[in-house]
Amino acid sequence: MPRFFNPRRIAMPASLYSHGVVHSGRARRLVISGQIGARLDGTIAETLEEQMDVAWDNLIEVLREGGMTVADLVKVVTYVTVPGAVALARQVRQRKLGQHAPASTYLQVAGLATPEFLFEVEGEAVSEDPEGLFDDFPDAVAGAERFRPKS
């Protein structure tokens, strides 16, 4: 089980996250690409808060398909293009993660892949149950095929 911690000799985190996470070497690791506020039908949520909600829901769906839960998240990085949105980002993160406090980085950036994207979140999860990931998730592997370039 990962151990989340905050060293006594540095300032406490500014919100609900941990400065460090230690986990054993015998684990399944899931690295999650940046998720944006794009719904299943391809539409982009309009407001910043809606994009945050949809992006977090997308990240949680990647966790689910990978056989993991929010409790397995050990690190998240959020990217926001709207100045002064840190309080909202923290509020939405806590709404989606509850009291789970993975290591977390918040970045205000000039832009993302397209101007309509206001928010992106990426993550890393660890499950110390090292059994095969895709043995139980054939649809995840098959779904990846549609994005592979044709030779």
PDB file of all heavy atoms in Angstrom, residues 102-134:
ATOM      1  N   PRO A 102      -3.111  12.577  -3.100  1.00  0.00           N
ATOM      2  CA  PRO A 102      -1.881  12.207  -3.803  1.00  0.00           C
ATOM      3  C   PRO A 102      -0.939  13.406  -3.923  1.00  0.00           C
ATOM      4  O   PRO A 102      -1.348  14.548  -3.696  1.00  0.00           O
ATOM      5  CB  PRO A 102      -2.388  11.789  -5.192  1.00  0.00           C
ATOM      6  CG  PRO A 102      -3.639  12.580  -5.386  1.00  0.00           C
ATOM      7  CD  PRO A 102      -4.265  12.671  -4.016  1.00  0.00           C
ATOM      8  N   ALA A 103       0.296  13.140  -4.295  1.00  0.00           N
ATOM      9  CA  ALA A 103       1.208  14.231  -4.621  1.00  0.00           C
ATOM     10  C   ALA A 103       0.568  15.012  -5.768  1.00  0.00           C
ATOM     11  O   ALA A 103      -0.086  14.432  -6.631  1.00  0.00           O
ATOM     12  CB  ALA A 103       2.572  13.676  -5.021  1.00  0.00           C
ATOM     13  N   SER A 104       0.722  16.341  -5.758  1.00  0.00           N
ATOM     14  CA  SER A 104      -0.021  17.151  -6.714  1.00  0.00           C
ATOM     15  C   SER A 104       0.772  18.380  -7.125  1.00  0.00           C
ATOM     16  O   SER A 104       1.412  19.021  -6.300  1.00  0.00           O
ATOM     17  CB  SER A 104      -1.342  17.590  -6.062  1.00  0.00           C
ATOM     18  OG  SER A 104      -2.127  18.337  -6.951  1.00  0.00           O
ATOM     19  N   THR A 105       0.702  18.692  -8.413  1.00  0.00           N
ATOM     20  CA  THR A 105       1.323  19.902  -8.941  1.00  0.00           C
ATOM     21  C   THR A 105       0.282  20.664  -9.740  1.00  0.00           C
ATOM     22  O   THR A 105      -0.455  20.069 -10.527  1.00  0.00           O
ATOM     23  CB  THR A 105       2.530  19.559  -9.843  1.00  0.00           C
ATOM     24  OG1 THR A 105       3.500  18.855  -9.064  1.00  0.00           O
ATOM     25  CG2 THR A 105       3.157  20.810 -10.433  1.00  0.00           C
ATOM     26  N   TYR A 106       0.214  21.968  -9.531  1.00  0.00           N
ATOM     27  CA  TYR A 106      -0.709  22.851 -10.242  1.00  0.00           C
ATOM     28  C   TYR A 106       0.130  23.805 -11.076  1.00  0.00           C
ATOM     29  O   TYR A 106       1.038  24.458 -10.553  1.00  0.00           O
ATOM     30  CB  TYR A 106      -1.541  23.646  -9.233  1.00  0.00           C
ATOM     31  CG  TYR A 106      -2.413  24.721  -9.833  1.00  0.00           C
ATOM     32  CD1 TYR A 106      -3.725  24.450 -10.176  1.00  0.00           C
ATOM     33  CD2 TYR A 106      -1.931  26.012 -10.042  1.00  0.00           C
ATOM     34  CE1 TYR A 106      -4.537  25.443 -10.722  1.00  0.00           C
ATOM     35  CE2 TYR A 106      -2.729  27.003 -10.587  1.00  0.00           C
ATOM     36  CZ  TYR A 106      -4.035  26.716 -10.922  1.00  0.00           C
ATOM     37  OH  TYR A 106      -4.829  27.693 -11.459  1.00  0.00           O
ATOM     38  N   LEU A 107      -0.164  23.880 -12.378  1.00  0.00           N
ATOM     39  CA  LEU A 107       0.569  24.777 -13.261  1.00  0.00           C
ATOM     40  C   LEU A 107      -0.397  25.690 -14.001  1.00  0.00           C
ATOM     41  O   LEU A 107      -1.377  25.226 -14.587  1.00  0.00           O
ATOM     42  CB  LEU A 107       1.372  23.978 -14.297  1.00  0.00           C
ATOM     43  CG  LEU A 107       2.476  23.081 -13.743  1.00  0.00           C
ATOM     44  CD1 LEU A 107       2.973  22.139 -14.818  1.00  0.00           C
ATOM     45  CD2 LEU A 107       3.600  23.925 -13.206  1.00  0.00           C
ATOM     46  N   GLN A 108      -0.119  26.987 -13.959  1.00  0.00           N
ATOM     47  CA  GLN A 108      -0.843  27.925 -14.802  1.00  0.00           C
ATOM     48  C   GLN A 108      -0.002  28.099 -16.055  1.00  0.00           C
ATOM     49  O   GLN A 108       1.175  28.449 -15.986  1.00  0.00           O
ATOM     50  CB  GLN A 108      -1.027  29.260 -14.095  1.00  0.00           C
ATOM     51  CG  GLN A 108      -1.814  30.262 -14.922  1.00  0.00           C
ATOM     52  CD  GLN A 108      -2.044  31.557 -14.164  1.00  0.00           C
ATOM     53  OE1 GLN A 108      -2.517  31.544 -13.046  1.00  0.00           O
ATOM     54  NE2 GLN A 108      -1.666  32.659 -14.786  1.00  0.00           N
ATOM     55  N   VAL A 109      -0.603  27.808 -17.216  1.00  0.00           N
ATOM     56  CA  VAL A 109       0.136  27.823 -18.473  1.00  0.00           C
ATOM     57  C   VAL A 109      -0.494  28.812 -19.449  1.00  0.00           C
ATOM     58  O   VAL A 109      -1.655  29.184 -19.305  1.00  0.00           O
ATOM     59  CB  VAL A 109       0.192  26.408 -19.098  1.00  0.00           C
ATOM     60  CG1 VAL A 109       0.964  25.443 -18.206  1.00  0.00           C
ATOM     61  CG2 VAL A 109      -1.205  25.865 -19.382  1.00  0.00           C
ATOM     62  N   ALA A 110       0.268  29.215 -20.450  1.00  0.00           N
ATOM     63  CA  ALA A 110      -0.222  30.171 -21.451  1.00  0.00           C
ATOM     64  C   ALA A 110      -1.246  29.534 -22.379  1.00  0.00           C
ATOM     65  O   ALA A 110      -2.118  30.224 -22.905  1.00  0.00           O
ATOM     66  CB  ALA A 110       0.940  30.733 -22.258  1.00  0.00           C
ATOM     67  N   GLY A 111      -1.141  28.238 -22.604  1.00  0.00           N
ATOM     68  CA  GLY A 111      -2.087  27.580 -23.493  1.00  0.00           C
ATOM     69  C   GLY A 111      -1.905  26.087 -23.488  1.00  0.00           C
ATOM     70  O   GLY A 111      -0.893  25.574 -23.024  1.00  0.00           O
ATOM     71  N   LEU A 112      -2.918  25.392 -24.004  1.00  0.00           N
ATOM     72  CA  LEU A 112      -2.883  23.946 -24.155  1.00  0.00           C
ATOM     73  C   LEU A 112      -2.951  23.630 -25.652  1.00  0.00           C
ATOM     74  O   LEU A 112      -2.676  24.503 -26.468  1.00  0.00           O
ATOM     75  CB  LEU A 112      -4.021  23.306 -23.356  1.00  0.00           C
ATOM     76  CG  LEU A 112      -3.882  23.482 -21.829  1.00  0.00           C
ATOM     77  CD1 LEU A 112      -5.167  23.115 -21.111  1.00  0.00           C
ATOM     78  CD2 LEU A 112      -2.714  22.660 -21.306  1.00  0.00           C
ATOM     79  N   ALA A 113      -3.322  22.442 -26.031  1.00  0.00           N
ATOM     80  CA  ALA A 113      -3.277  22.022 -27.436  1.00  0.00           C
ATOM     81  C   ALA A 113      -4.110  22.912 -28.360  1.00  0.00           C
ATOM     82  O   ALA A 113      -3.709  23.160 -29.491  1.00  0.00           O
ATOM     83  CB  ALA A 113      -3.730  20.573 -27.563  1.00  0.00           C
ATOM     84  N   THR A 114      -5.258  23.366 -27.900  1.00  0.00           N
ATOM     85  CA  THR A 114      -6.069  24.316 -28.669  1.00  0.00           C
ATOM     86  C   THR A 114      -6.616  25.363 -27.707  1.00  0.00           C
ATOM     87  O   THR A 114      -6.759  25.103 -26.509  1.00  0.00           O
ATOM     88  CB  THR A 114      -7.262  23.648 -29.405  1.00  0.00           C
ATOM     89  OG1 THR A 114      -8.231  23.234 -28.445  1.00  0.00           O
ATOM     90  CG2 THR A 114      -6.820  22.455 -30.239  1.00  0.00           C
ATOM     91  N   PRO A 115      -6.937  26.556 -28.195  1.00  0.00           N
ATOM     92  CA  PRO A 115      -7.402  27.626 -27.319  1.00  0.00           C
ATOM     93  C   PRO A 115      -8.672  27.301 -26.527  1.00  0.00           C
ATOM     94  O   PRO A 115      -8.882  27.848 -25.455  1.00  0.00           O
ATOM     95  CB  PRO A 115      -7.657  28.801 -28.275  1.00  0.00           C
ATOM     96  CG  PRO A 115      -6.810  28.507 -29.461  1.00  0.00           C
ATOM     97  CD  PRO A 115      -6.757  27.014 -29.582  1.00  0.00           C
ATOM     98  N   GLU A 116      -9.517  26.387 -27.036  1.00  0.00           N
ATOM     99  CA  GLU A 116     -10.743  26.064 -26.300  1.00  0.00           C
ATOM    100  C   GLU A 116     -10.479  25.211 -25.070  1.00  0.00           C
ATOM    101  O   GLU A 116     -11.314  25.137 -24.165  1.00  0.00           O
ATOM    102  CB  GLU A 116     -11.770  25.403 -27.213  1.00  0.00           C
ATOM    103  CG  GLU A 116     -11.363  24.056 -27.742  1.00  0.00           C
ATOM    104  CD  GLU A 116     -12.341  23.518 -28.786  1.00  0.00           C
ATOM    105  OE1 GLU A 116     -13.536  23.837 -28.739  1.00  0.00           O
ATOM    106  OE2 GLU A 116     -11.879  22.777 -29.656  1.00  0.00           O
ATOM    107  N   PHE A 117      -9.314  24.573 -24.969  1.00  0.00           N
ATOM    108  CA  PHE A 117      -8.970  23.777 -23.793  1.00  0.00           C
ATOM    109  C   PHE A 117      -8.478  24.715 -22.700  1.00  0.00           C
ATOM    110  O   PHE A 117      -7.472  25.408 -22.866  1.00  0.00           O
ATOM    111  CB  PHE A 117      -7.889  22.749 -24.098  1.00  0.00           C
ATOM    112  CG  PHE A 117      -8.244  21.728 -25.141  1.00  0.00           C
ATOM    113  CD1 PHE A 117      -7.243  21.046 -25.803  1.00  0.00           C
ATOM    114  CD2 PHE A 117      -9.558  21.435 -25.470  1.00  0.00           C
ATOM    115  CE1 PHE A 117      -7.539  20.090 -26.772  1.00  0.00           C
ATOM    116  CE2 PHE A 117      -9.876  20.490 -26.432  1.00  0.00           C
ATOM    117  CZ  PHE A 117      -8.859  19.809 -27.081  1.00  0.00           C
ATOM    118  N   LEU A 118      -9.167  24.708 -21.570  1.00  0.00           N
ATOM    119  CA  LEU A 118      -8.815  25.572 -20.444  1.00  0.00           C
ATOM    120  C   LEU A 118      -8.146  24.803 -19.308  1.00  0.00           C
ATOM    121  O   LEU A 118      -7.536  25.402 -18.432  1.00  0.00           O
ATOM    122  CB  LEU A 118     -10.080  26.257 -19.905  1.00  0.00           C
ATOM    123  CG  LEU A 118     -10.921  27.029 -20.924  1.00  0.00           C
ATOM    124  CD1 LEU A 118     -12.194  27.544 -20.269  1.00  0.00           C
ATOM    125  CD2 LEU A 118     -10.107  28.145 -21.542  1.00  0.00           C
ATOM    126  N   PHE A 119      -8.271  23.481 -19.324  1.00  0.00           N
ATOM    127  CA  PHE A 119      -7.823  22.654 -18.203  1.00  0.00           C
ATOM    128  C   PHE A 119      -7.398  21.284 -18.710  1.00  0.00           C
ATOM    129  O   PHE A 119      -8.005  20.737 -19.637  1.00  0.00           O
ATOM    130  CB  PHE A 119      -8.973  22.489 -17.196  1.00  0.00           C
ATOM    131  CG  PHE A 119      -8.638  21.630 -16.008  1.00  0.00           C
ATOM    132  CD1 PHE A 119      -7.963  22.156 -14.925  1.00  0.00           C
ATOM    133  CD2 PHE A 119      -9.006  20.292 -15.977  1.00  0.00           C
ATOM    134  CE1 PHE A 119      -7.657  21.363 -13.823  1.00  0.00           C
ATOM    135  CE2 PHE A 119      -8.704  19.494 -14.886  1.00  0.00           C
ATOM    136  CZ  PHE A 119      -8.037  20.029 -13.800  1.00  0.00           C
ATOM    137  N   GLU A 120      -6.378  20.731 -18.084  1.00  0.00           N
ATOM    138  CA  GLU A 120      -5.931  19.373 -18.377  1.00  0.00           C
ATOM    139  C   GLU A 120      -5.380  18.772 -17.092  1.00  0.00           C
ATOM    140  O   GLU A 120      -4.769  19.476 -16.288  1.00  0.00           O
ATOM    141  CB  GLU A 120      -4.852  19.401 -19.468  1.00  0.00           C
ATOM    142  CG  GLU A 120      -4.471  18.037 -19.989  1.00  0.00           C
ATOM    143  CD  GLU A 120      -3.626  18.116 -21.255  1.00  0.00           C
ATOM    144  OE1 GLU A 120      -3.744  19.107 -22.011  1.00  0.00           O
ATOM    145  OE2 GLU A 120      -2.858  17.167 -21.497  1.00  0.00           O
ATOM    146  N   VAL A 121      -5.609  17.481 -16.894  1.00  0.00           N
ATOM    147  CA  VAL A 121      -5.081  16.788 -15.720  1.00  0.00           C
ATOM    148  C   VAL A 121      -4.479  15.465 -16.165  1.00  0.00           C
ATOM    149  O   VAL A 121      -5.049  14.756 -16.992  1.00  0.00           O
ATOM    150  CB  VAL A 121      -6.171  16.581 -14.626  1.00  0.00           C
ATOM    151  CG1 VAL A 121      -7.350  15.766 -15.130  1.00  0.00           C
ATOM    152  CG2 VAL A 121      -5.579  15.956 -13.366  1.00  0.00           C
ATOM    153  N   GLU A 122      -3.299  15.176 -15.649  1.00  0.00           N
ATOM    154  CA  GLU A 122      -2.653  13.889 -15.910  1.00  0.00           C
ATOM    155  C   GLU A 122      -2.359  13.245 -14.570  1.00  0.00           C
ATOM    156  O   GLU A 122      -2.343  13.926 -13.536  1.00  0.00           O
ATOM    157  CB  GLU A 122      -1.370  14.058 -16.727  1.00  0.00           C
ATOM    158  CG  GLU A 122      -0.294  14.845 -16.021  1.00  0.00           C
ATOM    159  CD  GLU A 122       0.956  15.017 -16.861  1.00  0.00           C
ATOM    160  OE1 GLU A 122       0.845  15.543 -17.981  1.00  0.00           O
ATOM    161  OE2 GLU A 122       2.041  14.620 -16.389  1.00  0.00           O
ATOM    162  N   GLY A 123      -2.128  11.957 -14.576  1.00  0.00           N
ATOM    163  CA  GLY A 123      -1.891  11.294 -13.303  1.00  0.00           C
ATOM    164  C   GLY A 123      -1.057  10.044 -13.425  1.00  0.00           C
ATOM    165  O   GLY A 123      -0.751   9.559 -14.524  1.00  0.00           O
ATOM    166  N   GLU A 124      -0.708   9.534 -12.268  1.00  0.00           N
ATOM    167  CA  GLU A 124      -0.004   8.272 -12.158  1.00  0.00           C
ATOM    168  C   GLU A 124      -0.619   7.521 -10.986  1.00  0.00           C
ATOM    169  O   GLU A 124      -0.860   8.094  -9.925  1.00  0.00           O
ATOM    170  CB  GLU A 124       1.487   8.493 -11.911  1.00  0.00           C
ATOM    171  CG  GLU A 124       2.263   7.213 -11.857  1.00  0.00           C
ATOM    172  CD  GLU A 124       3.762   7.430 -11.805  1.00  0.00           C
ATOM    173  OE1 GLU A 124       4.234   8.506 -12.203  1.00  0.00           O
ATOM    174  OE2 GLU A 124       4.451   6.490 -11.374  1.00  0.00           O
ATOM    175  N   ALA A 125      -0.899   6.243 -11.211  1.00  0.00           N
ATOM    176  CA  ALA A 125      -1.499   5.408 -10.178  1.00  0.00           C
ATOM    177  C   ALA A 125      -0.653   4.162  -9.987  1.00  0.00           C
ATOM    178  O   ALA A 125       0.011   3.705 -10.919  1.00  0.00           O
ATOM    179  CB  ALA A 125      -2.927   5.029 -10.565  1.00  0.00           C
ATOM    180  N   VAL A 126      -0.702   3.622  -8.792  1.00  0.00           N
ATOM    181  CA  VAL A 126       0.057   2.420  -8.453  1.00  0.00           C
ATOM    182  C   VAL A 126      -0.857   1.493  -7.666  1.00  0.00           C
ATOM    183  O   VAL A 126      -1.516   1.914  -6.722  1.00  0.00           O
ATOM    184  CB  VAL A 126       1.303   2.766  -7.606  1.00  0.00           C
ATOM    185  CG1 VAL A 126       1.972   1.507  -7.077  1.00  0.00           C
ATOM    186  CG2 VAL A 126       2.284   3.598  -8.403  1.00  0.00           C
ATOM    187  N   SER A 127      -0.891   0.237  -8.102  1.00  0.00           N
ATOM    188  CA  SER A 127      -1.604  -0.796  -7.359  1.00  0.00           C
ATOM    189  C   SER A 127      -0.581  -1.848  -6.984  1.00  0.00           C
ATOM    190  O   SER A 127       0.098  -2.391  -7.856  1.00  0.00           O
ATOM    191  CB  SER A 127      -2.710  -1.412  -8.213  1.00  0.00           C
ATOM    192  OG  SER A 127      -3.273  -2.517  -7.535  1.00  0.00           O
ATOM    193  N   GLU A 128      -0.483  -2.134  -5.724  1.00  0.00           N
ATOM    194  CA  GLU A 128       0.504  -3.110  -5.286  1.00  0.00           C
ATOM    195  C   GLU A 128       0.010  -4.545  -5.444  1.00  0.00           C
ATOM    196  O   GLU A 128       0.562  -5.465  -4.885  1.00  0.00           O
ATOM    197  CB  GLU A 128       0.983  -2.780  -3.884  1.00  0.00           C
ATOM    198  CG  GLU A 128       1.768  -1.478  -3.905  1.00  0.00           C
ATOM    199  CD  GLU A 128       2.488  -1.141  -2.622  1.00  0.00           C
ATOM    200  OE1 GLU A 128       2.319  -1.850  -1.623  1.00  0.00           O
ATOM    201  OE2 GLU A 128       3.241  -0.158  -2.635  1.00  0.00           O
ATOM    202  N   ASP A 129      -1.015  -4.713  -6.267  1.00  0.00           N
ATOM    203  CA  ASP A 129      -1.466  -6.022  -6.719  1.00  0.00           C
ATOM    204  C   ASP A 129      -0.859  -6.199  -8.104  1.00  0.00           C
ATOM    205  O   ASP A 129      -1.390  -5.677  -9.083  1.00  0.00           O
ATOM    206  CB  ASP A 129      -2.991  -6.050  -6.780  1.00  0.00           C
ATOM    207  CG  ASP A 129      -3.516  -7.305  -7.442  1.00  0.00           C
ATOM    208  OD1 ASP A 129      -2.755  -8.285  -7.555  1.00  0.00           O
ATOM    209  OD2 ASP A 129      -4.680  -7.292  -7.860  1.00  0.00           O
ATOM    210  N   PRO A 130       0.287  -6.889  -8.228  1.00  0.00           N
ATOM    211  CA  PRO A 130       1.040  -6.891  -9.486  1.00  0.00           C
ATOM    212  C   PRO A 130       0.512  -7.817 -10.580  1.00  0.00           C
ATOM    213  O   PRO A 130       1.191  -8.033 -11.562  1.00  0.00           O
ATOM    214  CB  PRO A 130       2.434  -7.327  -9.039  1.00  0.00           C
ATOM    215  CG  PRO A 130       2.189  -8.204  -7.867  1.00  0.00           C
ATOM    216  CD  PRO A 130       0.985  -7.600  -7.168  1.00  0.00           C
ATOM    217  N   GLU A 131      -0.701  -8.343 -10.441  1.00  0.00           N
ATOM    218  CA  GLU A 131      -1.235  -9.236 -11.475  1.00  0.00           C
ATOM    219  C   GLU A 131      -1.345  -8.506 -12.807  1.00  0.00           C
ATOM    220  O   GLU A 131      -1.424  -7.295 -12.866  1.00  0.00           O
ATOM    221  CB  GLU A 131      -2.591  -9.788 -11.042  1.00  0.00           C
ATOM    222  CG  GLU A 131      -2.516 -10.641  -9.786  1.00  0.00           C
ATOM    223  CD  GLU A 131      -1.554 -11.814  -9.920  1.00  0.00           C
ATOM    224  OE1 GLU A 131      -1.576 -12.506 -10.961  1.00  0.00           O
ATOM    225  OE2 GLU A 131      -0.767 -12.025  -8.984  1.00  0.00           O
ATOM    226  N   GLY A 132      -1.426  -9.268 -13.909  1.00  0.00           N
ATOM    227  CA  GLY A 132      -1.467  -8.706 -15.257  1.00  0.00           C
ATOM    228  C   GLY A 132      -2.601  -7.714 -15.451  1.00  0.00           C
ATOM    229  O   GLY A 132      -3.743  -8.000 -15.123  1.00  0.00           O
ATOM    230  N   LEU A 133      -2.294  -6.566 -15.977  1.00  0.00           N
ATOM    231  CA  LEU A 133      -3.262  -5.496 -16.161  1.00  0.00           C
ATOM    232  C   LEU A 133      -4.276  -5.807 -17.239  1.00  0.00           C
ATOM    233  O   LEU A 133      -5.465  -5.694 -17.035  1.00  0.00           O
ATOM    234  CB  LEU A 133      -2.535  -4.187 -16.497  1.00  0.00           C
ATOM    235  CG  LEU A 133      -3.398  -3.008 -16.893  1.00  0.00           C
ATOM    236  CD1 LEU A 133      -4.335  -2.629 -15.761  1.00  0.00           C
ATOM    237  CD2 LEU A 133      -2.541  -1.828 -17.268  1.00  0.00           C
ATOM    238  N   PHE A 134      -3.838  -6.194 -18.418  1.00  0.00           N
ATOM    239  CA  PHE A 134      -4.744  -6.313 -19.543  1.00  0.00           C
ATOM    240  C   PHE A 134      -5.393  -7.683 -19.667  1.00  0.00           C
ATOM    241  O   PHE A 134      -6.243  -7.873 -20.517  1.00  0.00           O
ATOM    242  CB  PHE A 134      -4.063  -5.910 -20.844  1.00  0.00           C
ATOM    243  CG  PHE A 134      -3.853  -4.428 -20.919  1.00  0.00           C
ATOM    244  CD1 PHE A 134      -2.579  -3.890 -20.886  1.00  0.00           C
ATOM    245  CD2 PHE A 134      -4.925  -3.562 -20.998  1.00  0.00           C
ATOM    246  CE1 PHE A 134      -2.398  -2.523 -20.941  1.00  0.00           C
ATOM    247  CE2 PHE A 134      -4.756  -2.200 -21.045  1.00  0.00           C
ATOM    248  CZ  PHE A 134      -3.485  -1.676 -21.026  1.00  0.00           C
TER     249      PHE A 134
END
